[in-house]
């Protein structure tokens, strides 16, 4: 998926209204049209040869389903509605079945609940209402208010979390562990070519590095508060690191030969995870970590342990 794309994951068991909104040929034609460039109702009407009243009805349905961004702007007479897509891609995905739930344990960690850090400027934290502490001062990461953080960023350095090792007292054999986070490069303004090498370390073992291609600030993230400066990073990509008996992977692509055995999970009551931009990294474009109150995904950091059936 391109960095600028926004993906909507649709649960067919609960997102019925979204599916109904998409189940219409005229509405799909409208979404296809405004993917190319934002349009007003009159432009959509002319392009698709539909009455303006019909277009307005369809647009309202798409807006109610959260599939459109509609902005009122000044026109020669009064105002006009400019329509743009809220998402570029759609994925219909059934939720995990009961067997998956029984064979896995998941822990979600707020991004502000880190246990160790060492960060360099530019850096900072904020919650859904305001900046925490002072910008570009690493001492702000000591603030008790960090517990409410929904976005944090830094140049080089690391941020570390301790997850409970829920496999410690479980006799089942581990199949894999998975760590997921919404992350991106950080730079003022939109820059699709601003790479950052982001490394995940588990129990002091480097599992692999992913290079974030750039950042996105051309439009607000789905959950990003409106007070947040439009020129700053708005959302990231949801990345998934997994470690199995065979090796380590990012979004299913093998990145190293580090295996579960290398992590020595049975020896620790906790699982330490560290996201870092190393001083030796080839690309040091800075790192954003998004919580559930910022970005495009309503989640914090998630560590999931899968057991063999």
């Amino acid at each position: 998926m391109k960095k600028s794309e926004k993906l909507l994951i649709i649960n067919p068991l609960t997102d019925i209204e979204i599916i109904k909104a998409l189940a219409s040929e005229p509405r799909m034609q409208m979404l296809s049209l405004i993917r190319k460039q934002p349009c007003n109702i009159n432009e959509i009407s002319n392009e698709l040869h539909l009455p303006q009243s019909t277009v307005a009805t369809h647009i309202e349905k798409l807006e109610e389903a959260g599939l459109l961004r509609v902005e009122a702007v000044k026109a020669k007479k009064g105002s006009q509605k400019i329509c743009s897509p809220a998402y570029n891609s759609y994925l219909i995905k059934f939720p995990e079945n009961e067997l998956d739930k029984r064979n896995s344990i998941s822990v979600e960690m707020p991004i502000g609940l880190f246990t160790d850090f060492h960060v360099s400027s530019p850096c900072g934290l904020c919650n859904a209402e305001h900046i925490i502490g002072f910008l570009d001062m690493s001492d702000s990461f000591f603030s008790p208010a960090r517990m409410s953080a929904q976005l944090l960023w830094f140049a080089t350095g690391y941020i570390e979390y301790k997850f409970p090792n829920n496999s410690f007292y479980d006799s089942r054999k581990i199949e894999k562990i998975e760590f997921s986070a919404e992350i991106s490069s950080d730079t003022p303004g939109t820059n699709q070519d601003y790479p950052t090498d982001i490394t995940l370390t588990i129990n002091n073992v480097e599992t692999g590095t992913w290079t974030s291609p750039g950042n996105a600030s051309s439009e607000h993230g789905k959950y990003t508060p409106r007070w947040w400066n439009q020129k700053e990073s708005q959302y990231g990509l949801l990345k998934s690191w997994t470690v199995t008996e065979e090796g380590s992977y990012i979004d299913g692509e093998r990145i190293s030969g580090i295996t579960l055995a290398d992590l020595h999970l049975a020896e620790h009551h906790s699982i330490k995870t560290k996201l870092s931009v190393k001083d030796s990294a080839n690309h040091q474009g800075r790192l954003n970590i998004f919580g559930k109150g910022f970005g495009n995904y309503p989640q914090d950091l998630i560590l999931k342990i899968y057991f063999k059936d």
Side-chain angles (χ1 to χ4, degrees):
M1 188 190 305
K2 296 180 180 179
K3 176 70 174 83
S4 59
E5 286 194 343
K6 297 178 68 177
L7 170 69
L8 175 63
I9 299 177
I10 302 169
N11 181 346
L13 302 181
T14 58
D15 299 328
I16 304 301
E17 295 305 315
I18 295 177
I19 293 176
K20 287 181 179 179
L22 291 172
S24 162
E25 184 176 355
R27 289 196 283 272
M28 293 300 290
Q29 290 174 341
M30 293 175 193
L31 288 173
S32 177
L33 176 64
I34 64 175
R35 276 172 58 90
K36 302 172 185 176
Q37 66 178 31
C39 299
N40 60 32
I41 289 178
N42 185 52
E43 291 168 334
I44 296 173
S45 173
N46 292 337
E47 186 70 23
L48 299 181
H49 307 291
L50 294 172
Q52 287 192 21
S53 59
T54 300
V55 172
T57 299
H58 284 303
I59 290 298
E60 182 179 3
K61 186 72 174 179
L62 289 169
E63 187 178 9
E64 288 175 352
L67 299 173
L68 283 186
R69 295 187 183 277
V70 179
E71 181 181 5
V73 299
K74 289 184 178 180
K76 292 182 179 180
K77 294 183 180 181
S79 63
Q80 61 178 336
K81 287 185 174 182
I82 302 297
C83 306
S84 59
Y87 303 93
N88 303 91
S89 303
Y90 309 92
L91 173 64
I92 296 178
K93 181 179 179 182
F94 283 93
E96 294 178 334
N97 59 41
E98 289 303 315
L99 180 61
D100 291 333
K101 291 180 180 179
R102 290 197 301 270
N103 287 349
S104 66
I105 302 176
S106 179
V107 176
E108 187 167 11
M109 183 74 67
I111 68 167
L113 203 58
F114 47 85
T115 53
D116 192 17
F117 72 92
H118 179 75
V119 299
S120 65
S121 178
C123 58
L125 315 89
C126 65
N127 56 30
E129 288 78 36
H130 54 75
I131 299 290
I132 296 172
F134 299 94
L135 291 176
D136 299 333
M137 291 186 63
S138 60
D139 286 353
S140 296
F141 283 65
F142 286 114
S143 170
R146 66 184 175 84
M147 303 282 285
S148 66
Q150 295 296 313
L151 171 65
L152 63 83
W153 63 95
F154 57 88
T156 58
Y158 66 85
I159 198 92
E160 186 176 80
Y161 301 84
K162 281 188 178 181
F163 287 83
N165 184 357
N166 289 317
S167 68
F168 196 82
Y169 297 105
D170 199 306
S171 61
R172 292 176 293 176
K173 187 174 179 61
I174 298 175
E175 181 178 40
K176 67 178 179 179
I177 65 171
E178 177 184 82
F179 175 80
S180 63
E182 182 178 355
I183 53 180
S184 77
S185 294
D186 175 48
T187 177
T190 300
N191 190 339
Q192 304 295 334
D193 186 21
Y194 198 79
T196 302
D197 293 338
I198 302 168
T199 300
L200 176 70
T201 300
I202 300 178
N203 285 354
N204 300 321
V205 178
E206 289 188 9
T207 64
T209 298
W210 171 67
T211 301
S212 173
N215 89 321
S217 63
S218 57
E219 58 186 19
H220 268 286
K222 182 178 179 181
Y223 300 99
T224 300
R226 287 293 166 179
W227 65 267
W228 183 243
N229 191 331
Q230 179 70 47
K231 295 182 179 180
E232 302 294 341
S233 297
Q234 295 291 321
Y235 55 88
L237 292 178
L238 188 62
K239 304 303 293 184
S240 175
W241 278 266
T242 57
V243 183
T244 72
E245 292 178 330
E246 289 76 37
S248 296
Y249 305 80
I250 293 181
D251 295 340
E253 181 179 348
R254 185 182 173 90
I255 53 169
S256 79
I258 297 299
T259 68
L260 287 170
D262 297 314
L263 305 183
H264 301 287
L265 296 176
E267 300 173 15
H268 304 280
H269 287 269
S270 65
I271 301 175
K272 293 193 298 184
T273 62
K274 179 192 296 184
L275 286 168
S276 62
V277 180
K278 297 190 291 185
D279 291 332
S280 60
N282 292 327
H283 305 102
Q284 298 181 358
R286 305 186 321 213
L287 166 63
N288 281 315
I289 305 176
F290 297 84
K292 63 176 57 178
F294 264 78
N296 281 350
Y297 301 91
Q299 73 161 66
D300 289 302
L301 308 176
I302 295 179
L303 183 72
K304 195 168 186 177
I305 300 174
Y306 294 83
F307 298 95
K308 290 190 176 182
D309 187 7

